[in-house]
Amino acid sequence: MGDDPTRSGIPSLETDGGVRTYTVRLELVDEPGELLNALAPIAENGGNLMSIHHERGNITPRGHIPVEVDLGCPPDRFDDIVEGLRETGVNVIQAGAERYGEEVSLVLVGHLIETDLSDTLLQIENDTSAAVLDLSLSAPEGTGNVSSGRLRLALDSGRSEEVFETIRSISREKDLTVVEPMLGGDAI
């Protein structure tokens, strides 16, 4: 037995090639089995669960439950774990050092309520790598008329054009106008 860390059953935290600890922040739907469903990709991809902080009493703006998972795995398996989580439909808010690197705001104008605003937001989150952080809705003449909504999105650095192209496509289908921020330039 001796001092061999691989024989003690406790993984060593090495700087290169060994097991490292990562934190993954998730949002889960409040339904039975969702936490178990979210943990399966960790085990399936060689991760070892260290701790779970399940904030059952808190609800995100989208009505989901925030969950923070600490896990250990070799660095070369971490991306597979995150991809496995996303493939099962889990909303990954933060993964290890990866955190959405950009925040942008945009405005949608049109019949937001009549075209099912909830569906629009779900499509944006499901079809892009962005997370809707918040929404401000203005419907001064009632829900049956033209309204506007300011969306604040968190997205992966360098993916803004891809995200906006998907939002443009969703908006065309619903006859909405997108007012996009000016990207890539300094504010005047």
Side-chain angles (χ1 to χ4, degrees):
M1 295 262 184
D3 294 323
D4 183 356
T6 59
R7 295 180 63 111
S8 70
I10 301 171
S12 60
L13 297 176
E14 300 175 6
T15 55
D16 291 322
V19 174
R20 292 189 185 173
T21 302
Y22 297 92
T23 299
V24 181
R25 289 193 51 79
L26 314 169
E27 283 186 337
L28 301 179
V29 176
D30 189 11
E31 293 179 4
E34 286 301 306
L35 180 58
L36 182 60
N37 182 48
L39 298 178
I42 295 170
E44 291 167 0
N45 289 289
N48 185 27
L49 188 62
M50 316 273 289
S51 70
I52 302 172
H53 182 68
H54 186 232
E55 300 176 36
R56 183 85 171 69
N58 291 333
I59 302 294
T60 68
R62 288 177 293 283
H64 297 155
I65 297 173
V67 177
E68 188 169 289
V69 178
D70 292 322
L71 62 100
C73 71
D76 63 340
R77 294 191 183 176
F78 184 68
D79 288 340
D80 293 335
I81 290 171
V82 173
E83 184 62 30
L85 288 165
R86 289 180 172 144
E87 286 175 358
T88 62
V90 173
N91 191 8
V92 178
I93 300 302
Q94 177 184 358
E98 171 196 325
R99 182 167 214 131
Y100 292 115
E102 289 183 52
E103 271 190 28
V104 295
S105 293
L106 61 90
V107 176
L108 296 176
V109 180
H111 292 281
L112 296 174
I113 308 301
E114 288 182 0
T115 60
D116 193 350
L117 181 59
S118 294
D119 176 67
T120 302
L121 297 176
L122 284 173
Q123 281 189 47
I124 289 170
E125 287 199 329
N126 291 336
D127 297 349
T128 70
S129 60
V132 177
L133 297 176
D134 62 49
L135 164 72
S136 297
L137 181 65
S138 176
E141 296 181 28
T143 59
N145 290 313
V146 172
S147 54
S148 62
R150 184 192 53 81
L151 294 165
R152 189 168 56 98
L153 304 173
L155 35 120
D156 295 333
S157 294
R159 310 259 331 246
S160 57
E161 186 53 40
E162 175 186 326
V163 169
F164 281 116
E165 184 53 43
T166 301
I167 292 171
R168 287 181 209 117
S169 175
I170 294 167
S171 296
R172 280 190 298 272
E173 291 172 13
K174 295 182 175 230
D175 197 27
L176 302 174
T177 300
V178 182
V179 180
E180 299 178 25
M182 293 177 60
L183 301 174
D186 293 329
I188 298 177

